[in-house]
Coordinates of all heavy atoms in Angstrom, one line a residue:
R155 N 29.9 -13.8 -20.2 CA 28.6 -14.4 -20.5 C 28.7 -15.5 -21.6 O 29.4 -15.3 -22.5 CB 27.7 -13.4 -21.0 CG 26.2 -13.9 -21.3 CD 25.3 -12.8 -21.9 NE 23.9 -13.4 -22.0 CZ 22.9 -12.9 -22.6 NH1 23.0 -11.8 -23.3 NH2 21.8 -13.5 -22.6
R157 N 27.2 -17.3 -24.6 CA 26.2 -17.2 -25.6 C 25.4 -18.5 -25.9 O 25.9 -19.6 -25.5 CB 26.8 -16.7 -26.9 CG 27.6 -15.4 -26.7 CD 26.6 -14.2 -26.5 NE 27.4 -12.9 -26.6 CZ 26.9 -11.8 -26.1 NH1 25.7 -11.8 -25.5 NH2 27.6 -10.7 -26.1
F207 N 29.0 -5.0 -23.8 CA 27.8 -5.5 -24.3 C 27.8 -5.5 -25.9 O 28.4 -4.8 -26.6 CB 26.6 -4.5 -23.9 CG 26.0 -4.9 -22.6 CD1 26.7 -5.7 -21.7 CD2 24.7 -4.4 -22.3 CE1 26.1 -5.9 -20.4 CE2 24.1 -4.8 -21.1 CZ 24.8 -5.4 -20.2
E208 N 27.1 -6.5 -26.4 CA 26.8 -6.5 -27.8 C 25.3 -6.4 -28.0 O 24.5 -6.3 -27.0 CB 27.2 -7.9 -28.3 CG 28.7 -8.2 -28.3 CD 29.2 -9.5 -28.7 OE1 28.3 -10.2 -29.4 OE2 30.2 -9.9 -28.5
D209 N 24.8 -6.3 -29.3 CA 23.3 -6.1 -29.5 C 22.6 -7.2 -28.8 O 22.9 -8.4 -28.9 CB 23.1 -6.1 -31.0 CG 23.6 -4.9 -31.7 OD1 23.9 -3.9 -30.9 OD2 23.7 -4.9 -32.9
G210 N 21.6 -6.8 -28.1 CA 20.6 -7.7 -27.5 C 20.9 -7.9 -26.0 O 20.1 -8.4 -25.2
D211 N 22.2 -7.7 -25.5 CA 22.6 -7.9 -24.1 C 21.8 -6.9 -23.2 O 21.5 -7.4 -22.1 CB 24.1 -7.7 -24.0 CG 24.9 -8.8 -24.5 OD1 24.4 -10.0 -24.5 OD2 26.1 -8.5 -25.0
W212 N 21.7 -5.7 -23.5 CA 20.9 -4.8 -22.7 C 19.5 -5.3 -22.4 O 19.1 -5.3 -21.2 CB 20.9 -3.4 -23.4 CG 20.2 -2.3 -22.5 CD1 18.9 -2.2 -22.3 CD2 20.9 -1.3 -21.7 NE1 18.7 -1.2 -21.4 CE2 19.9 -0.6 -21.1 CE3 22.2 -1.0 -21.5 CZ2 20.1 0.5 -20.3 CZ3 22.5 0.2 -20.8 CH2 21.5 0.9 -20.2
K213 N 18.8 -5.8 -23.4 CA 17.5 -6.2 -23.2 C 17.4 -7.5 -22.4 O 16.6 -7.6 -21.5 CB 16.9 -6.5 -24.6 CG 15.3 -6.9 -24.5 CD 14.6 -6.9 -25.7 CE 13.2 -7.1 -25.7 NZ 12.5 -7.1 -27.0
D214 N 18.4 -8.4 -22.6 CA 18.5 -9.6 -21.8 C 18.7 -9.3 -20.2 O 18.3 -9.9 -19.4 CB 19.6 -10.5 -22.3 CG 19.2 -11.1 -23.7 OD1 18.0 -11.1 -24.1 OD2 20.2 -11.7 -24.3
E220 N 17.5 -1.4 -25.4 CA 18.5 -0.5 -25.1 C 18.2 0.9 -25.6 O 17.9 1.1 -26.7 CB 19.7 -1.0 -25.8 CG 21.1 -0.2 -25.5 CD 22.3 -0.8 -26.1 OE1 22.1 -1.7 -27.1 OE2 23.4 -0.4 -25.7
K225 N 23.1 3.1 -26.7 CA 23.7 2.3 -27.8 C 24.7 3.2 -28.5 O 25.7 2.7 -29.0 CB 22.5 1.9 -28.8 CG 23.0 1.0 -29.9 CD 21.9 0.5 -30.8 CE 22.5 -0.4 -31.9 NZ 21.4 -1.0 -32.8
R228 N 27.8 3.2 -26.7 CA 28.5 1.9 -26.8 C 29.2 1.6 -28.2 O 30.3 1.1 -28.3 CB 27.5 0.8 -26.5 CG 28.0 -0.7 -26.5 CD 27.1 -1.7 -26.0 NE 25.8 -1.7 -26.8 CZ 25.7 -2.3 -27.9 NH1 26.7 -3.0 -28.5 NH2 24.6 -2.3 -28.6
T229 N 28.5 1.9 -29.2 CA 28.9 1.7 -30.7 C 29.3 2.9 -31.4 O 30.1 2.6 -32.4 CB 27.7 0.9 -31.4 OG1 26.7 1.9 -31.5 CG2 27.2 -0.2 -30.6

Side-chain angles (χ1 to χ4, degrees):
R155 183 188 187 189
R157 302 289 187 199
F207 271 23
E208 299 176 11
D209 290 344
D211 287 329
W212 183 285
K213 187 170 185 178
D214 290 343
E220 183 176 16
K225 184 174 182 179
R228 177 173 61 82
T229 66

